[in-house]
PDB file of all heavy atoms in Angstrom:
ATOM      1  N   GLY A 191     102.614 144.388 181.400  1.00 95.00           N
ATOM      2  CA  GLY A 191     102.704 145.826 181.165  1.00 95.00           C
ATOM      3  C   GLY A 191     101.585 146.632 181.783  1.00 95.00           C
ATOM      4  O   GLY A 191     101.446 147.824 181.499  1.00 95.00           O
ATOM      5  N   ARG A 192     100.772 145.988 182.632  1.00 94.00           N
ATOM      6  CA  ARG A 192      99.686 146.697 183.313  1.00 94.00           C
ATOM      7  C   ARG A 192     100.279 147.373 184.538  1.00 94.00           C
ATOM      8  O   ARG A 192     100.627 146.713 185.514  1.00 94.00           O
ATOM      9  CB  ARG A 192      98.567 145.742 183.706  1.00 94.00           C
ATOM     10  CG  ARG A 192      98.080 144.858 182.574  1.00 94.00           C
ATOM     11  CD  ARG A 192      97.558 145.654 181.411  1.00 94.00           C
ATOM     12  NE  ARG A 192      96.382 146.420 181.760  1.00 94.00           N
ATOM     13  CZ  ARG A 192      95.764 147.256 180.941  1.00 94.00           C
ATOM     14  NH1 ARG A 192      96.244 147.463 179.723  1.00 94.00           N
ATOM     15  NH2 ARG A 192      94.695 147.893 181.337  1.00 94.00           N
ATOM     16  N   LYS A 193     100.415 148.690 184.504  1.00 93.00           N
ATOM     17  CA  LYS A 193     101.169 149.394 185.530  1.00 93.00           C
ATOM     18  C   LYS A 193     100.361 150.490 186.214  1.00 93.00           C
ATOM     19  O   LYS A 193     100.831 151.613 186.413  1.00 93.00           O
ATOM     20  CB  LYS A 193     102.461 149.964 184.928  1.00 93.00           C
ATOM     21  CG  LYS A 193     103.402 148.872 184.425  1.00 93.00           C
ATOM     22  CD  LYS A 193     104.735 149.406 183.957  1.00 93.00           C
ATOM     23  CE  LYS A 193     105.653 148.267 183.523  1.00 93.00           C
ATOM     24  NZ  LYS A 193     106.988 148.767 183.101  1.00 93.00           N
ATOM     25  N   HIS A 194      99.128 150.165 186.567  1.00 91.00           N
ATOM     26  CA  HIS A 194      98.347 151.073 187.391  1.00 91.00           C
ATOM     27  C   HIS A 194      99.088 151.277 188.713  1.00 91.00           C
ATOM     28  O   HIS A 194      99.604 150.333 189.314  1.00 91.00           O
ATOM     29  CB  HIS A 194      96.959 150.482 187.645  1.00 91.00           C
ATOM     30  CG  HIS A 194      96.005 151.435 188.274  1.00 91.00           C
ATOM     31  ND1 HIS A 194      96.118 151.860 189.590  1.00 91.00           N
ATOM     32  CD2 HIS A 194      94.900 152.060 187.787  1.00 91.00           C
ATOM     33  CE1 HIS A 194      95.135 152.694 189.872  1.00 91.00           C
ATOM     34  NE2 HIS A 194      94.387 152.830 188.792  1.00 91.00           N
ATOM     35  N   ASP A 195      99.159 152.523 189.170  1.00 93.00           N
ATOM     36  CA  ASP A 195      99.960 152.852 190.350  1.00 93.00           C
ATOM     37  C   ASP A 195      99.564 152.009 191.565  1.00 93.00           C
ATOM     38  O   ASP A 195     100.409 151.469 192.274  1.00 93.00           O
ATOM     39  CB  ASP A 195      99.822 154.341 190.676  1.00 93.00           C
ATOM     40  CG  ASP A 195     100.724 154.760 191.832  1.00 93.00           C
ATOM     41  OD1 ASP A 195     101.955 154.716 191.663  1.00 93.00           O
ATOM     42  OD2 ASP A 195     100.196 155.121 192.905  1.00 93.00           O
ATOM     43  N   ARG A 196      98.273 151.877 191.810  1.00 93.00           N
ATOM     44  CA  ARG A 196      97.830 151.120 192.988  1.00 93.00           C
ATOM     45  C   ARG A 196      98.150 149.639 192.847  1.00 93.00           C
ATOM     46  O   ARG A 196      98.516 148.981 193.823  1.00 93.00           O
ATOM     47  CB  ARG A 196      96.333 151.335 193.214  1.00 93.00           C
ATOM     48  CG  ARG A 196      95.995 152.768 193.595  1.00 93.00           C
ATOM     49  CD  ARG A 196      94.509 152.960 193.792  1.00 93.00           C
ATOM     50  NE  ARG A 196      94.185 154.368 193.974  1.00 93.00           N
ATOM     51  CZ  ARG A 196      92.948 154.829 194.071  1.00 93.00           C
ATOM     52  NH1 ARG A 196      91.934 154.006 194.015  1.00 93.00           N
ATOM     53  NH2 ARG A 196      92.729 156.125 194.241  1.00 93.00           N
ATOM     54  N   LEU A 197      98.002 149.111 191.641  1.00 95.00           N
ATOM     55  CA  LEU A 197      98.333 147.713 191.401  1.00 95.00           C
ATOM     56  C   LEU A 197      99.804 147.465 191.712  1.00 95.00           C
ATOM     57  O   LEU A 197     100.158 146.469 192.374  1.00 95.00           O
ATOM     58  CB  LEU A 197      98.000 147.348 189.957  1.00 95.00           C
ATOM     59  CG  LEU A 197      98.171 145.886 189.522  1.00 95.00           C
ATOM     60  CD1 LEU A 197      97.172 145.563 188.409  1.00 95.00           C
ATOM     61  CD2 LEU A 197      99.584 145.590 189.027  1.00 95.00           C
ATOM     62  N   MET A 198     100.692 148.349 191.252  1.00 96.00           N
ATOM     63  CA  MET A 198     102.127 148.167 191.483  1.00 96.00           C
ATOM     64  C   MET A 198     102.463 148.263 192.967  1.00 96.00           C
ATOM     65  O   MET A 198     103.282 147.503 193.487  1.00 96.00           O
ATOM     66  CB  MET A 198     102.923 149.194 190.682  1.00 96.00           C
ATOM     67  CG  MET A 198     102.903 148.960 189.189  1.00 96.00           C
ATOM     68  SD  MET A 198     104.101 149.976 188.304  1.00 96.00           S
ATOM     69  CE  MET A 198     103.468 151.639 188.609  1.00 96.00           C
ATOM     70  N   ARG A 199     101.830 149.202 193.666  1.00 95.00           N
ATOM     71  CA  ARG A 199     102.106 149.349 195.096  1.00 95.00           C
ATOM     72  C   ARG A 199     101.613 148.134 195.876  1.00 95.00           C
ATOM     73  O   ARG A 199     102.269 147.693 196.827  1.00 95.00           O
ATOM     74  CB  ARG A 199     101.485 150.645 195.621  1.00 95.00           C
ATOM     75  CG  ARG A 199     102.175 151.882 195.066  1.00 95.00           C
ATOM     76  CD  ARG A 199     101.588 153.181 195.591  1.00 95.00           C
ATOM     77  NE  ARG A 199     102.245 154.323 194.980  1.00 95.00           N
ATOM     78  CZ  ARG A 199     103.412 154.829 195.359  1.00 95.00           C
ATOM     79  NH1 ARG A 199     104.043 154.282 196.393  1.00 95.00           N
ATOM     80  NH2 ARG A 199     103.941 155.872 194.754  1.00 95.00           N
ATOM     81  N   ASN A 200     100.483 147.593 195.481  1.00 95.00           N
ATOM     82  CA  ASN A 200     100.000 146.368 196.120  1.00 95.00           C
ATOM     83  C   ASN A 200     100.949 145.203 195.854  1.00 95.00           C
ATOM     84  O   ASN A 200     101.219 144.384 196.740  1.00 95.00           O
ATOM     85  CB  ASN A 200      98.604 146.017 195.614  1.00 95.00           C
ATOM     86  CG  ASN A 200      97.528 146.858 196.266  1.00 95.00           C
ATOM     87  OD1 ASN A 200      97.767 147.522 197.264  1.00 95.00           O
ATOM     88  ND2 ASN A 200      96.344 146.822 195.700  1.00 95.00           N
ATOM     89  N   LEU A 201     101.450 145.129 194.620  1.00 97.00           N
ATOM     90  CA  LEU A 201     102.390 144.063 194.271  1.00 97.00           C
ATOM     91  C   LEU A 201     103.668 144.179 195.097  1.00 97.00           C
ATOM     92  O   LEU A 201     104.185 143.164 195.611  1.00 97.00           O
ATOM     93  CB  LEU A 201     102.717 144.126 192.778  1.00 97.00           C
ATOM     94  CG  LEU A 201     103.795 143.148 192.280  1.00 97.00           C
ATOM     95  CD1 LEU A 201     103.400 141.703 192.585  1.00 97.00           C
ATOM     96  CD2 LEU A 201     104.022 143.349 190.779  1.00 97.00           C
ATOM     97  N   VAL A 202     104.183 145.379 195.240  1.00 97.00           N
ATOM     98  CA  VAL A 202     105.399 145.581 196.043  1.00 97.00           C
ATOM     99  C   VAL A 202     105.169 145.145 197.484  1.00 97.00           C
ATOM    100  O   VAL A 202     106.006 144.448 198.084  1.00 97.00           O
ATOM    101  CB  VAL A 202     105.845 147.059 195.978  1.00 97.00           C
ATOM    102  CG1 VAL A 202     106.909 147.349 197.045  1.00 97.00           C
ATOM    103  CG2 VAL A 202     106.394 147.390 194.593  1.00 97.00           C
TER     104      VAL A 202
END
Side-chain angles (χ1 to χ4, degrees):
R192 309 301 296 176
K193 297 186 178 182
H194 190 289
D195 185 66
R196 294 179 188 175
L197 185 150
M198 290 191 295
R199 292 181 183 279
N200 282 346
L201 175 58
V202 167

